[in-house]
Amino acid sequence: MGSTSTKIKLRTSDQKVFEVEKAVAVQSQTIKYIYENGCPDSVIHVHSVSGDILSKILDYCKKHVNSAAGKEDISPEELYEWDANFVKVDQNTLFDLILAANCLKIESLLDLTCQTVANMIKGKRPEEIRTTFNIKNDYTIEAEEAVRRENKWAFDMLGGVGTMVIEELADDTMSKCVTNTKSRVCVIAANQIVMMRSISKLANKKSIDVYKQPQNPTTPRIKESVKQRNVGTGFIELFFHFKCKM
Amino acid sequence: MWSNLPFDVLAKIFSFLSPDSLARARSTCRHWNSCVDTYPIATSFILLSLHHRAWFLALPTRNRGQHCYVHNPVIDNWHLLSLDFLSDPVRPVASIGALILVRPTNCTVLQLALCNPFTRQFRYLPMSNISRTNPAVGVVTLDSVQHGPNPNFRVYVAGGMSEAPRGGAMYELKLEMYDSTDDTWHVVGFVPTEFAVRLTVWTPNESVYSNGVLYWMTSARAYSVMGYEIDGHRWRGFGVPMADKLEFAALLCRNGGLTLVGGASEGEACIWELKEGDRWGLIEKVPMEMGRKLLGGKRSWGSIKCVGSEEAIYLYKELGSGMVVWREMEEKARWAWFWIEGCHSIGGNQVPNLPIKGVFLHPNLFPFTF
């Protein structure tokens, strides 16, 4: 029982010092290595991480250590929700968390943050990705045309401007999708594909029916409600309200 | 900020993207594009997740060389993939992870090539030592679950006809093997004459590898199976259930075991698994409704084809007919039946109902370096 009360001191790039339990700190493979191979009594410098970020990271590590050790009564679903809320941060923080998780070698946090960024990329056209992440398009016109031509197949289902695919929605989620009225929208919720058929016919309706594509031909189709709002020039904003029955 | 992420981190983010999302992401900026081109993205650890399933590639059997059609299982959508980088029309022989082994159709002598339709690469394998027409080909992939851009594999060529010493043609009895690790062909064994004849005349160029044995199905009635045990250099033949009643029959590997899918007239299509002693056990039947939908009103299974990957079995007909799929679910050990709509239009353009040959592929945008 002695080892659980061992504390490790960590000093950040902005000279803040954190004292944490060893079990929490060694979630970071980097810290673990330094602790086991260096001087266990002195302070470990985490040069590339600021105090704010390290504080958040330590919250994450503590939650996961306590949950795994049974110190906290939390179900896997609740932990999953906690993780989902953990990454609901502004982009700068998310960026810093990724780099810190990479540098500190915390595999599960790196997976979580990278998956979050990937979710922000999925289904988007390059223009939309650039807007989301404030990325400058540094291609020459010829180079960009060449890349698009080589990857032409991935653009053909979008059929127009501004189609977005929303993936991995939790049950009872409100979610938003912007699309032009000529294309089809595919929404994937909890591994069930919900497909909207020919929304070009729906421009004048207040609400549209969304049909769930049944996994098994004998399960009944479930109708959900969708509200839509015209945002001008052939674009509509759709709000989905789901209750996914498994 | 985001356009300057180090490649290892960016590659990790990209590993969570499905192939079409990745293809669009790389068009964002030069840094992201370089990452896809130069840093192999490891997808092996999330193999069965929705975003890393094998994709069904449909190659038209006529009008070859123009396009192929690929089904995206993530969003249940078809993509048009141009094959204009091919100099000659080709026929698929087998899939090797992210690549397809193909043979040009305009050549009577066997020539094989590797193709990645997503990176638009095509490379001929060296010619085998013995020049032969119409042999049977078998492929063994050596890496277990990598599906990386440069897989290690072996190609076995058996049977076929070669030039006889005094002119004319004879059945070729030497078994040759190509090893990708040294890019060379070797003679590794012999084929008994009766098998060589069957491999030449009655076997389409496809085989299934399971538990150290390469299996081929003879396509004539009555259907039967030939197996070559690679390590022991032993050939054997055995029968299949309802051998003379089946209108279509296909071999595939499912969960590592040899599996047979076949349909008899007026009946259902069935799936059998090979058990001890070369006996077959029935494990599943295609649901009646789906079978009828695929047959489209016809009673004969003769036009049905079948292809499988580790986690799915697809029964198909033409490009627009739709497909009946038996697939492993995310919670393993449970398989379920689905219907996939055929390809009728892409990007607003009508697609003709072409006859096709299907192969599975794990799309990889990283160029191979063979």
Side-chain angles (χ1 to χ4, degrees):
Chain A
M1 288 308 282
S3 61
T4 53
S5 58
T6 315
K7 298 242 194 253
I8 296 181
K9 286 206 187 88
L10 304 169
R11 177 178 280 132
T12 63
S13 59
D14 48 354
Q15 305 307 318
K16 297 212 178 85
V17 177
F18 292 80
E19 196 169 8
V20 280
E21 280 184 23
K22 176 177 162 244
V24 172
V26 297
Q27 294 284 293
S28 153
Q29 296 298 306
T30 308
I31 293 175
K32 181 169 192 263
Y33 182 82
I34 296 174
Y35 180 77
E36 285 171 358
N37 293 289
C39 336
D41 293 328
S42 63
V43 178
I44 295 179
H45 293 261
V46 278
H47 307 281
S48 44
V49 186
S50 72
D52 290 339
I53 295 296
L54 186 64
S55 168
K56 276 197 76 84
I57 289 182
L58 292 174
D59 280 346
Y60 174 89
C61 293
K62 194 166 181 194
K63 191 79 177 178
H64 279 249
V65 163
N66 287 347
S67 138
K71 278 191 198 164
E72 221 180 287
D73 183 22
I74 174 170
S75 69
E77 292 80 27
E78 286 167 334
L79 188 62
Y80 182 82
E81 279 242 18
W82 190 91
D83 281 353
N85 283 320
F86 181 80
V87 285
K88 284 194 179 133
V89 292
D90 61 272
Q91 275 194 23
N92 284 315
T93 308
L94 186 60
F95 184 81
D96 288 337
L97 280 173
I98 291 184
L99 291 184
N102 188 41
C103 148
L104 293 173
K105 292 208 196 6
I106 307 171
E107 189 74 27
S108 62
L109 180 60
L110 188 59
D111 278 347
L112 174 66
T113 47
C114 286
Q115 169 84 77
T116 307
V117 177
N119 289 344
M120 293 157 74
I121 296 175
K122 280 177 195 171
K124 287 195 170 93
R125 299 183 68 88
E127 307 83 62
E128 292 160 343
I129 300 175
R130 286 186 202 122
T131 310
T132 304
F133 294 99
N134 202 17
I135 292 175
K136 184 167 178 298
N137 180 4
D138 59 352
Y139 277 115
T140 62
I141 296 180
E142 297 83 30
E144 183 169 2
E145 263 176 31
V147 169
R148 289 240 182 180
R149 221 179 313 121
E150 302 258 309
N151 295 281
K152 191 157 165 286
W153 62 275
F155 290 85
D156 57 24
M157 45 75 73
L158 299 174
V161 181
T163 309
M164 210 187 282
V165 174
I166 307 166
E167 296 184 9
E168 292 165 7
L169 297 169
D171 292 357
D172 290 338
T173 313
M174 289 281 279
S175 191
K176 200 163 76 152
C177 162
V178 179
T179 180
N180 77 7
T181 52
K182 290 207 178 83
S183 43
R184 284 163 76 201
V185 170
C186 302
V187 180
I188 302 174
N191 294 327
Q192 302 282 333
I193 300 177
V194 181
M195 208 159 340
M196 289 197 42
R197 303 177 203 277
S198 63
I199 50 176
S200 56
K201 299 205 172 118
L202 307 169
N204 296 321
K205 292 196 194 167
K206 284 234 152 71
S207 74
I208 25 190
D209 293 332
V210 175
Y211 288 91
K212 189 185 241 174
Q213 190 174 44
Q215 291 268 37
N216 184 320
T218 55
T219 42
R221 288 171 160 189
I222 301 170
K223 245 190 240 187
E224 301 302 338
S225 73
V226 179
K227 286 209 193 82
Q228 71 174 44
R229 187 165 74 101
N230 249 317
V231 292
T233 349
F235 281 83
I236 54 172
E237 202 169 59
L238 297 160
F239 292 92
F240 295 96
H241 192 79
F242 282 105
K243 245 184 172 46
C244 290
K245 292 216 158 49
M246 296 300 170
Chain B
M1 184 168 72
W2 295 101
S3 50
N4 293 322
L5 273 175
F7 277 359
D8 56 346
V9 176
L10 203 51
K12 183 119 202 173
I13 294 174
F14 288 164
S15 72
F16 290 102
L17 293 177
S18 60
D20 53 317
S21 284
L22 183 62
R24 290 187 292 268
R26 70 184 309 180
S27 317
T28 309
C29 65
R30 286 187 0 223
H31 183 82
W32 284 24
N33 193 33
S34 291
C35 180
V36 180
D37 259 342
T38 58
Y39 203 94
I41 294 160
T43 58
S44 54
F45 58 95
I46 3 175
L47 210 51
L48 272 191
S49 85
L50 191 62
H51 299 100
H52 297 289
R53 287 215 204 104
W55 288 29
F56 176 86
L57 194 86
L59 285 124
T61 52
R62 290 199 288 268
N63 310 325
R64 292 192 192 109
Q66 303 290 332
H67 309 284
C68 63
Y69 301 85
V70 62
H71 180 257
N72 182 338
V74 180
I75 48 176
D76 191 14
N77 210 313
W78 288 88
H79 295 285
L80 183 75
L81 202 49
S82 168
L83 295 175
D84 59 5
F85 62 96
L86 295 175
S87 47
D88 305 302
V90 298
R91 180 151 58 98
V93 171
S95 76
I96 308 173
L99 309 179
I100 324 175
L101 188 70
V102 297
R103 60 169 296 190
T105 53
N106 56 4
C107 193
T108 46
V109 168
L110 177 78
Q111 243 223 304
L112 294 169
L114 289 173
C115 175
N116 182 338
F118 290 97
T119 58
R120 301 162 59 76
Q121 287 174 293
F122 180 84
R123 187 220 160 214
Y124 279 109
L125 294 186
M127 292 287 280
S128 53
N129 298 323
I130 302 162
S131 189
R132 41 179 118 195
T133 58
N134 228 27
V137 179
V139 177
V140 178
T141 309
L142 298 175
D143 309 311
S144 49
V145 275
Q146 284 304 321
H147 302 305
N150 300 304
N152 281 323
F153 61 96
R154 292 197 174 136
V155 180
Y156 292 83
V157 172
M161 307 209 65
S162 58
E163 205 173 311
R166 272 182 276 257
M170 63 174 197
Y171 286 104
E172 180 52 57
L173 302 181
K174 290 207 191 80
L175 176 72
E176 285 183 277
M177 179 197 81
Y178 167 84
D179 196 328
S180 69
T181 49
D182 62 8
D183 193 29
T184 334
W185 289 90
H186 313 265
V187 174
V188 294
F190 288 87
V191 183
T193 315
E194 55 140 326
F195 286 107
V197 174
R198 283 160 69 180
L199 290 167
T200 309
V201 185
W202 295 117
T203 310
N205 294 11
E206 268 161 66
S207 79
V208 175
Y209 175 76
S210 158
N211 292 325
V213 183
L214 270 174
Y215 296 96
W216 285 273
M217 171 94 89
T218 52
S219 57
R221 300 234 194 141
Y223 285 99
S224 64
V225 179
M226 282 174 286
Y228 174 65
E229 197 189 315
I230 295 176
D231 286 341
H233 302 284
R234 273 192 293 273
W235 288 88
R236 70 183 201 273
F238 52 95
V240 304
M242 310 190 328
D244 51 350
K245 293 204 182 66
L246 292 174
E247 290 172 328
F248 91 95
L251 284 179
L252 34 103
C253 186
R254 173 184 168 264
N255 286 341
L258 188 68
T259 309
L260 170 73
V261 181
S265 82
E266 309 292 329
E268 297 167 293
C270 300
I271 302 180
W272 296 270
E273 207 170 59
L274 190 69
K275 313 271 189 209
E276 280 294 320
D278 288 344
R279 272 193 295 273
W280 295 93
L282 180 70
I283 53 170
E284 183 76 7
K285 288 189 181 179
V286 177
M288 293 285 295
E289 274 295 314
M290 287 203 194
R292 270 198 222 118
K293 198 168 176 183
L294 185 63
L295 290 176
K298 304 221 173 75
R299 318 281 280 283
S300 161
W301 289 93
S303 55
I304 300 300
K305 298 178 201 169
C306 180
V307 71
S309 72
E310 310 90 26
E311 73 262 3
I313 294 179
Y314 281 47
L315 286 113
Y316 65 98
K317 214 168 65 170
E318 289 112 20
L319 188 56
S321 339
M323 306 194 279
V324 177
V325 173
W326 195 40
R327 199 177 72 214
E328 185 166 19
M329 302 306 292
E330 299 251 342
E331 342 77 74
K332 310 247 196 116
R334 192 171 87 82
W335 285 61
W337 289 95
F338 296 87
W339 173 263
I340 290 183
E341 206 46 58
C343 180
H344 305 288
S345 78
I346 292 181
N349 298 317
Q350 272 261 326
V351 168
N353 192 22
L354 302 166
I356 51 171
K357 178 93 173 70
V359 281
F360 274 102
L361 196 61
H362 283 265
N364 198 316
L365 304 191
F366 189 88
F368 67 73
T369 49
F370 286 112

